[in-house]
Amino acid sequence: MLIKTDPETFKTYFEDSSNLKGGHAEGAVFPQDIDELSNFLNDNYPKKTPVTISAGGTGTAGARIPFGGYLISMERFNNVIDISKANRQATVQAGLLVEDLKNAAEKNGLFYASHPTERTAFVGGTVATNASGSRSFKYGPTRKYIKRLKMVLSDGEILEVRRGEIFLRRGDSTLKLESGRQINIPLPDYKMPDIKNSAGYFAKDGMDLIDLFIGQEGTLSVIAEIELELVEKPSKILSAFVFFREERDSWNFAEEAKRLSRSIPSKDGFTPDALSIEYFDHNALRLLSAKDRNVPKDMNAAIFFEQGVTGEDNEDRLTEAWLKLISRYSASLDDTWVAMNEREARRFTELRHAVPETINDIVKRSGFQKLSTDIAVPDDKFGRMMNFYVDTFKKERVEHVIFGHIGESHVHVNILPKSKEELAKTKDIAFEFVNKGVSLGGTVSAEHGIGKTKHRYLEEMYGKAGILEMARIKKSLDPNCILGLDNIFPKEILSLI
Ligand SMILES: Cc1cc2nc3c(=O)[nH]c(=O)nc-3n(C[C@H](O)[C@H](O)[C@H](O)COP(=O)(O)OP(=O)(O)OC[C@H]3O[C@@H](n4cnc5c(N)ncnc54)[C@H](O)[C@@H]3O)c2cc1C
């Protein structure tokens, strides 16, 4: 197996899009198959050397960055093992690029529904963070599509879990491994909010065991192989950018588009049924106008939406339904861009993706760690959350950008401090948002995970007791405390239990 020990040759693995500094490791391991992976972990187990799993490195919370020990790169696990159009499913290795999965699926008239917008992520990375994407408005997060995981535990034992086979219940949560070892997984008492959520371990009485490993951020096992469900690709995707003079009009438009998409179709069957509903505030539009001079300069918000058209749908009548909605919300049709062909649709999705990319470039140039929130709240609380963001930024004049998945009551707030003096203030602002989101029954991470940079946010959500419960789960599956240390909670907590 390829093992590198000169850090100069693997220092690129010490970063991701969090801009967290100080990563280091004594070695990097590049297994080619599950046996190599298992043997490495088995040899390492008695030595207790920490191991951090690295995938595409697009994560936003420093989770793949090692602070000591070894890193395992999954990049050689990059094959599609099987894809079946008839069964709408694929089996892939964890290091496959999301882009490659997307292409393989599309060749079969299918697609990967969770659609993370960053295509250089690995499929295993998206499972380990329970990623979502713009289209999770219609399809839901990664979790929903994972049917089977083949994994290696920290002592090298291989564990295969198929959805629907093993359930964990309070008082009955013993996992029997092939080796005969039995693990009692302590089910915690904390209650997850019933919304899009990737904050800490999934835990619920009666839960499917597979759900514990989705969103675990590399702390419980190394995922090697994934069987996932694909969905039928609409024959066409209509997409549009709608620009608004007033931010609040864009929120109301999104709210109505969402209500209609979730409702029973009208008698004629032509009610908007969005795949995605995405938001851009005035600062996001300023970033976009630097990329595309056609972005109107006098507008203060935009909504990007996609609508799938299937065989029987009448494209013209669906377009008409959307245009009717647009004209009701004071958005001028002159200020609406509708993609007329695939090339334009691609340009729109690239433009949408340019917002987080540009923010990450700004963060990198600033030298500061990324300061962003990933809060989702229940739908009926979203207006209050948005008002809180806007009112706070009226008082605290710091550079910021708000964009994202408004259809799921989930926007990303990025705060961009300009100096060290401003940094402390911006951290306080982010924490105020977290506090508000939690008080409204929300989650501190709807899709990015906690990693190494958001421990304080998770504690705000679940309290110290909840964090200790998570540590107990980790210790049951990784008793020597080897995998993904400092992800989700500080490693020091492990010595308290
Ligand atoms: C421009 C941009 C846009 C983005 N847009 C979105 C978006 O729309 N939705 C969204 O959800 N995220 C988004 N992200 C964040 C990121 O793409 C996701 O979090 C993604 O799932 C990370 O995948 P990765 O392969 O890069 O993982 P990494 O960053 O390498 O790792 C992430 C975590 O997963 C663990 N891990 C990775 N592979 C395995 C494995 N095989 N077994 C066990 N643990 C593993 C790592 O240890 C780490 O804890 C965006 C990022 C960027 C830069």
Side-chain angles (χ1 to χ4, degrees):
M1 180 171 56
L2 176 62
I3 300 183
K4 296 183 182 179
T5 50
D6 174 5
E8 268 307 301
T9 61
F10 53 85
K11 63 182 183 198
T12 52
Y13 297 85
F14 301 158
E15 39 184 77
D16 67 0
S17 38
S18 65
N19 217 25
L20 175 66
K21 305 286 186 202
H24 58 95
E26 60 197 71
V29 181
F30 298 81
Q32 200 151 26
D33 55 43
I34 196 161
D35 292 333
E36 281 193 354
L37 178 60
S38 162
N39 290 339
F40 169 78
L41 287 168
N42 186 262
D43 288 348
N44 181 63
Y45 192 64
K47 297 180 215 153
K48 300 187 180 179
T49 308
V51 167
T52 303
I53 309 152
S54 180
T58 68
T60 65
R64 79 120 178 206
I65 301 176
F67 282 79
Y70 274 78
L71 71 88
I72 297 183
S73 166
M74 296 304 289
E75 66 198 46
R76 292 177 155 199
F77 279 66
N78 57 359
N79 291 311
V80 174
I81 297 170
D82 178 50
I83 188 158
S84 161
K85 186 174 177 162
N87 298 331
R88 289 196 200 147
Q89 69 177 49
T91 304
V92 305
Q93 289 186 303
L96 185 75
L97 283 174
V98 165
E99 174 73 4
D100 292 344
L101 172 59
K102 176 185 167 282
N103 291 340
E106 282 189 0
K107 268 193 208 140
N108 288 278
L110 301 168
F111 72 24
Y112 184 38
S114 63
H115 191 69
T117 58
E118 179 51 55
R119 306 282 175 73
T120 59
F122 292 0
V123 180
T126 65
V127 176
T129 53
N130 186 33
S132 298
S134 54
R135 292 179 189 155
S136 49
F137 171 72
K138 180 164 177 79
Y139 296 114
T142 299
R143 173 181 312 286
K144 209 175 140 191
Y145 297 91
I146 304 305
K147 300 173 82 163
R148 179 179 62 84
L149 293 175
K150 192 168 183 181
M151 302 171 280
V152 186
L153 297 176
S154 61
D155 63 355
E157 175 148 13
I158 294 171
L159 169 67
E160 200 161 338
V161 181
R162 182 172 283 285
R163 187 173 290 285
E165 285 185 351
I166 304 175
F167 297 92
L168 303 178
R169 295 194 173 82
R170 293 227 162 79
D172 178 18
S173 56
T174 305
L175 169 64
K176 295 181 187 80
L177 299 178
E178 291 229 328
S179 61
R181 188 156 67 94
Q182 296 205 1
I183 301 176
N184 180 38
I185 301 174
L187 262 192
D189 285 327
Y190 60 77
K191 199 170 174 317
M192 295 183 301
D194 193 15
I195 51 174
K196 180 181 187 183
N197 181 27
S198 284
Y201 299 136
F202 184 99
K204 222 188 229 185
D205 197 17
M207 66 183 276
D208 196 307
L209 174 65
I210 201 167
D211 282 322
L212 183 58
F213 295 98
I214 301 168
Q216 48 129 328
E217 301 190 54
T219 59
L220 303 178
S221 65
V222 188
I223 301 165
E225 193 176 297
I226 302 152
E227 187 179 307
L228 48 88
E229 188 184 327
L230 297 165
V231 296
E232 197 172 338
K233 192 171 183 282
S235 51
K236 188 169 179 188
I237 295 177
L238 301 174
S239 60
F241 263 96
V242 191
F243 296 93
F244 295 82
R245 241 169 259 285
E246 296 294 330
E247 282 186 344
R248 277 191 171 71
D249 286 335
S250 72
W251 306 351
N252 293 336
F253 170 79
E255 171 87 27
E256 183 65 355
K258 177 169 156 177
R259 193 188 64 75
L260 289 171
S261 299
R262 300 259 191 257
S263 67
I264 300 159
S266 61
K267 276 200 199 95
D268 62 6
F270 294 103
T271 303
D273 178 14
L275 300 180
S276 49
I277 309 176
E278 300 277 296
Y279 172 68
F280 304 88
D281 78 342
H282 59 286
N283 291 323
L285 290 188
R286 299 298 89 83
L287 295 182
L288 287 184
S289 60
K291 301 261 160 204
D292 184 329
R293 59 193 169 79
N294 296 315
V295 172
K297 299 232 169 0
D298 52 343
M299 292 292 164
N300 284 310
I303 299 289
F304 167 68
F305 69 80
E306 293 177 302
Q307 161 79 54
V309 182
T310 51
E312 326 80 66
D313 288 339
N314 179 322
E315 184 184 337
D316 291 344
R317 292 177 72 185
L318 273 171
T319 309
E320 210 176 286
W322 276 101
L323 293 180
K324 221 160 54 188
L325 183 63
I326 292 165
S327 53
R328 264 202 276 142
Y329 281 87
S330 82
S332 147
L333 293 184
D334 294 340
D335 297 317
T336 299
W337 297 352
V338 180
M340 301 307 284
N341 51 47
E342 265 200 37
R343 193 175 52 81
E344 278 184 2
R346 213 172 316 121
R347 188 182 125 230
F348 286 6
T349 47
E350 279 165 12
L351 203 57
R352 185 248 167 260
H353 193 54
V355 174
E357 278 182 331
T358 311
I359 293 169
N360 290 343
D361 287 347
I362 296 172
V363 170
K364 208 164 185 181
R365 281 201 305 274
S366 77
F368 296 125
Q369 196 178 300
K370 185 177 172 85
L371 189 58
S372 66
T373 62
D374 181 29
I375 298 164
V377 292
D379 287 346
D380 61 336
K381 305 289 184 343
F382 185 63
R384 279 167 70 186
M385 194 71 222
M386 286 301 270
N387 281 326
F388 190 73
Y389 292 140
V390 169
D391 292 347
T392 305
F393 285 127
K394 264 188 206 146
K395 278 190 282 163
E396 308 285 358
R397 299 204 163 265
V398 288
E399 205 175 311
H400 63 275
V401 181
I402 306 179
F403 77 97
H405 319 297
I406 194 167
E408 295 177 280
S409 302
H410 167 215
V411 289
H412 298 294
V413 180
N414 283 265
I415 315 180
L416 304 162
K418 289 223 172 63
S419 62
K420 277 197 179 137
E421 294 67 47
E422 221 180 44
L423 185 63
K425 178 162 118 179
T426 52
K427 281 186 181 168
D428 288 346
I429 296 172
F431 197 68
E432 272 182 52
F433 293 156
V434 162
N435 204 281
K436 183 74 178 176
V438 170
S439 75
L440 294 174
T443 172
V444 298
S445 178
E447 66 181 13
H448 288 166
I450 299 300
K452 298 183 175 70
T453 61
K454 296 184 176 174
H455 297 161
R456 192 174 162 223
Y457 298 179
L458 189 66
E459 193 172 329
E460 185 67 10
M461 183 170 167
Y462 286 131
K464 191 115 208 156
I467 305 298
L468 284 168
E469 288 183 307
M470 288 192 204
R472 279 189 200 102
I473 294 182
K474 179 187 169 56
K475 236 175 161 174
S476 70
L477 283 149
D478 177 17
N480 280 0
C481 303
I482 287 171
L483 293 179
L485 295 186
D486 275 330
N487 285 350
I488 303 183
F489 45 78
K491 63 174 182 287
E492 291 71 26
I493 300 232
L494 291 163
S495 58
L496 300 180
I497 51 164

